[in-house]
Amino acid sequence: MPNSTDVIIVGSGASGAACARELAASDRSVLVVDPGNRAGEAWRASAGLLAPQIDPREDNPLFELGIAGREYYRDKATEFKEETDVDIELFDGGILRLARGETEADQLREAVAWQRQHGHRSEWLDPAEVRSEFKHVGANDGALWASHDGSVNPVRLIEALRQSAARRGATFVTDAVTGLLIENGRLTGVRGEKGTYRGGNVVLAAGAWTGRLTGLPRPVSVEPVRGQMIVRPWPAKLAPGIVFGSHGYVLERNGSAYCGATMEHAGFAADVTDRGETDLRSTSESLIPALAATRVTERMAGLRPATPDGLPIVGAEPTLPNLWYATGYGRNGILLAGITAVALVHLMAKEATFEGIEAMAPGRFWSW
Ligand SMILES: Cc1cc2nc3c(=O)[nH]c(=O)nc-3n(C[C@H](O)[C@H](O)[C@H](O)COP(=O)(O)OP(=O)(O)OC[C@H]3O[C@@H](n4cnc5c(N)ncnc54)[C@H](O)[C@@H]3O)c2cc1C
């Protein structure tokens, strides 16, 4: 293991693995520290939707970045497969976002108009069109059809990113980081339960656990928001696809229906609950009624790293320029991990980067 490295990354979930891959690809030496198998890692329970276009809000500062995030995986899927032999199971066959009630229908119709005006493919389908094209979906008042949205398999994605990083020289260590290592007023690395790791830069990518590290120059406002999912067999005669509603979604993956997801403030308890299953059964059956005839085969839960304003925290710490944040991704950490890792490479090289990154600046939170 190298004694000193250009960049130490704390965590190797969606964010840490993507940062490791992109920083290693930019010829930096990278050391990744992660305890492995921590209960509640968000990526393991994640649906992996790439769904920037189904949000009815027009003032979403992450809209264009989300589109770029989705395109990152479309660009990289083949490269990952060739390089690592891991198929990230990119599905780019579209997401149907159902409307319930006139208010939601109006919002989604306006979202379609706004997106089209800004050069993105999106269509409004009235209830009769939804009935004729998507016979399996439940009651609705029309739908937004985002034909370019889709999904990846998050477990395979993290595997591909880690392997790609390792092939480009990144080193992975199994340890839990406890805090920053500050020597003579300078950030020189991190302390772990098993050892001390020194490096020129530190990237904080420990998901919902990031704020628990010691020595942080400001409180990292990341709280765990539990998400539960249930898995059931995908009804045999239905074509694969993704259906999204205001309370949840169903996606087909390898013959199963992944039905998500709850949003719960339950601290760091990453348990599944009967109440969660009941809610997810009901939501998924309202989206695809044929699911009522299937049984639940698996339940899972993960802790999303959520911030008070709903925006990730990405960029340099103003008071310690070699400390970087790549956390707080909430519900969109798979969608945004790849593209924000590319942005982090730009920022470290003091190069211009994507619009939208400035909304994630760490300095928006107070320091001690
Ligand atoms: C049910 C559910 C469904 C979701 N669906 C989607 C979706 O469809 N699309 C989407 O874009 N996003 C989705 N998300 C959100 C997405 O999974 C997260 O935003 C993303 O995983 C966050 O990445 P992360 O690396 O910040 O955190 P995580 O993925 O949680 O990874 C954090 C990593 O840090 C490590 N770690 C923890 N403590 C330490 C420590 N002390 N030292 C070192 N390492 C540490 C952990 O072991 C872990 O590997 C979903 C999440 C859930 C729970």
Side-chain angles (χ1 to χ4, degrees), residues 187-213:
L187 173 67
T188 53
V190 297
R191 287 182 206 285
E193 286 176 359
K194 297 182 193 162
T196 295
Y197 308 93
R198 287 194 165 73
N201 293 274
V202 173
V203 177
L204 300 179
W209 297 268
T210 309
R212 294 183 135 191
L213 302 171

Side-chain angles (χ1 to χ4, degrees), residues 267-279:
F268 284 89
D271 316 300
V272 292
T273 63
D274 292 342
R275 171 70 199 270
E277 177 179 333
T278 304
D279 289 351

Side-chain angles (χ1 to χ4, degrees), residues 1-9 28-33 166 168-174 181 188-190 195-201:
M1 186 191 314
N3 191 32
S4 183
T5 186
D6 292 338
V7 189
I8 297 172
I9 300 175
R28 289 173 172 85
S29 60
V30 171
L31 178 76
V32 186
V33 189
R168 288 155 196 267
T171 306
F172 287 76
V173 173
T174 305
L181 181 65
T188 53
V190 297
T196 295
Y197 308 93
R198 287 194 165 73
N201 293 274

Side-chain angles (χ1 to χ4, degrees), residues 52 60-69 114 118 120 355:
N60 177 359
L62 302 186
F63 180 81
E64 292 295 345
L65 201 66
I67 299 279
W114 184 89
H118 288 78
H120 301 289
E355 262 181 53

